[in-house]
């Protein structure tokens, strides 16, 4: 089976490529290396079933595939806010180009959407019927509105061109292969703790997130692609933790004398984020299995070897 993975050199994409390659499938990876790294895929260099093409998906390309896993888009605020217009173009024009490939190849199409489409939610936990509360002119909106338009495009390709789609609304995930300097909270805390630097908590750290270990997420994505479910579905961990709790947990695990410092809360930082994953449990028989403490141990081990 020929798979096209956009954003395959990124954090989630490279784990997905690993899983597909281990299953013996053929993988073509499209990436412009904006927020990903070739190193994440180096174990497949020279493998006859693997090909990596340096390409920006905002430009058209002709490739045939049976399955398109559309993940290309910087996921860390640090990256997507650096070039907001490019982020919007990736989500709109890039998704349009990839959906055109799906239409031409009659390929099944999976969009990696995000919990950010719920914005700063007024409902907790968020289920798939909640339409979100997004500020269209905040610094996060290039990502949030970008992903919302990407979802709309998928549905219109399904309605108009009968493209077979599935949409994963991914909540915060973590694990090995996150970039050292990409500004995501878990990698940030771990790298700072390992370097004996302070852990910076926004506000008083009472805002919550729920973190899903990468292997669980990849299992959810593959189950979704294998299913016939064609509406958005939340994939994430429903165990809610305060950011301050995460900081304390990591600083204890790294056993450094790390200090926790408090910074001003950024504009439009969501205060609570917790998925309702009942739909995924029912439709995909999926739920995360990795305990946060175990997942953090694996991730800390990775960064100890990387730094
Ligand atoms: N990791 C998470 O917690 C999370 C949460 C919600 C949604 N997601 C979604 O999952 C997908 C993957 O996330 P990630 O954490 O691996 O992000 P990432 O930034 O690590 O990876 C994204 C990859 O896409 C590539 N890319 C970006 N723009 C591109 C373009 N125009 N053309 C070609 N390649 C491009 C980057 O170089 C990178 O390799 C993203 O679409 C993201 O929105 C991730």
């Amino acid at each position: 089976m020929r798979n096209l993975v956009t954003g395959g050199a990124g954090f989630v994409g490279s784990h997905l490529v690993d899983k597909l390659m281990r299953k013996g499938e053929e993988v073509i990876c499209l990436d412009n290396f904006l927020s990903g790294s070739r190193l994440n895929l180096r174990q497949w260099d020279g493998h006859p079933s693997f090909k990596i093409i340096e390409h920006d998906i905002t430009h058209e390309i002709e490739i045939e595939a049976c399955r398109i896993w559309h993940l290309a888009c910087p996921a860390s605020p640090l990256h997507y806010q650096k070039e907001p217009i490019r982020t919007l173009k990736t989500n709109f024009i890039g998704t349009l180009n990839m959906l055109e490939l799906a239409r031409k190849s009659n390929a099944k199409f999976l969009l990696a959407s995000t919990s950010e489409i719920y914005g700063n939610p007024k409902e907790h936990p968020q289920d798939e019927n909640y339409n979100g509360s997004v500020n269209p002119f905040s610094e996060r909106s290039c990502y949030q509105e970008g992903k919302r338009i990407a979802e709309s495009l998928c549905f219109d390709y399904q309605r108009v061109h009968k493209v077979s789609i599935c949409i994963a609304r991914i909540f915060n995930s973590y694990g090995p292969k996150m970039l050292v300097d990409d500004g995501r909270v878990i990698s940030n805390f771990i790298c700072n703790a390992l370097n004996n630097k302070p852990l910076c908590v926004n506000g008083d750290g009472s805002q919550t997130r729920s973190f899903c270990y990468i292997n669980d997420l990849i299992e959810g994505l593959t189950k979704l692609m294998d299913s016939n479910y064609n509406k958005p579905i939340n994939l994430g961990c429903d165990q809610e933790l305060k950011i301050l709790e995460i900081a304390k947990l990591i600083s204890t695990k790294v056993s450094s004398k790390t200090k926790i410092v408090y910074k001003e809360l950024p504009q439009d930082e969501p205060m609570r984020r917790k998925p309702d994953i009942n739909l995924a449990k029912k439709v995909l028989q999926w739920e995360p299995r990795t305990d946060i403490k175990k997942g953090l141990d694996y991730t800390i081990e990775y960064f100890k070897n990387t730094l």
Side-chain angles (χ1 to χ4, degrees):
M1 166 109 55
R2 180 186 275 187
N3 296 271
L4 174 63
V5 180
T6 76
F11 164 52
V12 179
S14 58
H15 283 274
L16 176 66
V17 170
D18 290 348
K19 172 129 184 176
L20 296 171
M21 290 297 294
R22 285 192 196 112
K23 271 172 71 186
E25 299 198 8
E26 186 183 347
V27 176
I28 300 175
C29 168
L30 279 190
D31 206 295
N32 66 354
F33 305 111
L34 181 77
S35 55
S37 165
R38 272 184 196 272
L39 290 178
N40 284 338
L41 297 168
R42 73 186 147 190
Q43 66 271 39
W44 306 116
D45 275 351
H47 193 291
S49 302
F50 178 72
K51 189 169 171 187
I52 184 156
I53 303 174
E54 184 165 356
H55 178 80
D56 189 314
I57 57 155
T58 58
H59 302 293
E60 288 179 24
I61 187 166
E62 291 300 325
I63 294 176
E64 283 193 11
C66 307
R67 287 180 160 187
I68 300 179
W69 308 75
H70 178 39
L71 279 67
C73 174
S76 142
L78 198 75
H79 287 131
Y80 69 66
Q81 288 174 2
K82 201 156 38 173
E83 292 189 74
I85 297 167
R86 194 172 185 192
T87 302
L88 279 161
K89 281 171 83 176
T90 294
N91 279 305
F92 182 31
I93 302 168
T95 302
L96 187 67
N97 286 338
M98 295 305 105
L99 279 163
E100 267 302 294
L101 288 189
R103 183 182 68 77
K104 288 179 197 158
S105 317
N106 204 14
K108 175 104 185 252
F109 188 90
L110 179 145
L111 171 70
S113 184
T114 170
S115 57
E116 289 281 334
I117 66 113
Y118 298 124
N120 201 342
K122 308 274 182 276
E123 284 183 14
H124 298 282
Q126 295 88 51
D127 75 19
E128 293 82 352
N129 294 317
Y130 179 53
N131 286 333
S133 166
V134 175
N135 171 358
F137 54 86
S138 84
E139 287 184 350
R140 297 176 94 94
S141 83
C142 59
Y143 183 68
Q144 297 172 323
E145 299 288 17
K147 288 287 182 179
R148 288 172 75 94
I149 203 161
E151 286 199 11
S152 298
L153 274 172
C154 287
F155 282 105
D156 287 332
Y157 265 73
Q158 179 173 248
R159 276 186 284 261
V160 177
H161 297 300
K162 311 285 176 254
V163 170
S164 177
I165 59 145
C166 47
I167 295 181
R169 288 187 180 155
I170 303 171
F171 284 64
N172 293 70
S173 309
Y174 71 101
K177 297 204 212 178
M178 283 187 289
L179 290 183
V180 169
D181 56 354
D182 79 357
R184 289 188 243 198
V185 64
I186 290 206
S187 47
N188 218 341
F189 284 171
I190 294 178
C191 294
N192 279 8
L194 288 170
N195 288 324
N196 281 316
K197 288 186 185 161
L199 310 192
C200 294
V201 165
N202 292 337
D204 63 0
S206 62
Q207 65 275 37
T208 67
R209 294 292 182 273
S210 37
F211 292 98
C212 182
Y213 188 63
I214 186 67
N215 291 9
D216 292 330
L217 172 66
I218 298 298
E219 195 201 358
L221 290 175
T222 48
K223 282 192 160 191
L224 178 60
M225 186 60 122
D226 287 340
S227 79
N228 291 322
Y229 195 73
N230 63 2
K231 296 204 182 83
I233 195 160
N234 289 339
L235 293 182
C237 176
D238 54 0
Q239 188 198 355
E240 201 175 1
L241 281 174
K242 289 188 179 130
I243 293 293
L244 188 57
E245 286 177 86
I246 304 269
K248 286 182 177 163
L249 199 56
I250 290 174
S251 102
T252 316
K253 278 189 173 293
V254 176
S255 58
S256 63
K257 297 184 179 64
T258 317
K259 279 195 187 136
I260 296 178
V261 296
Y262 298 87
K263 281 196 332 190
E264 204 182 320
L265 198 66
Q267 189 205 9
D268 290 313
E269 166 136 338
M271 291 311 290
R272 283 188 77 189
R273 196 47 81 57
K274 175 185 169 177
D276 179 326
I277 54 167
N278 283 317
L279 189 63
K281 284 181 185 168
K282 192 171 142 212
V283 174
L284 307 176
Q285 285 80 52
W286 174 87
E287 63 184 300
R289 286 180 299 196
T290 312
D291 178 72
I292 181 87
K293 290 185 182 144
K294 265 261 150 57
L296 284 177
D297 286 342
Y298 300 142
T299 313
I300 290 168
E301 201 47 44
Y302 168 80
F303 280 112
K304 270 187 188 162
N305 295 327
T306 306
L307 284 175

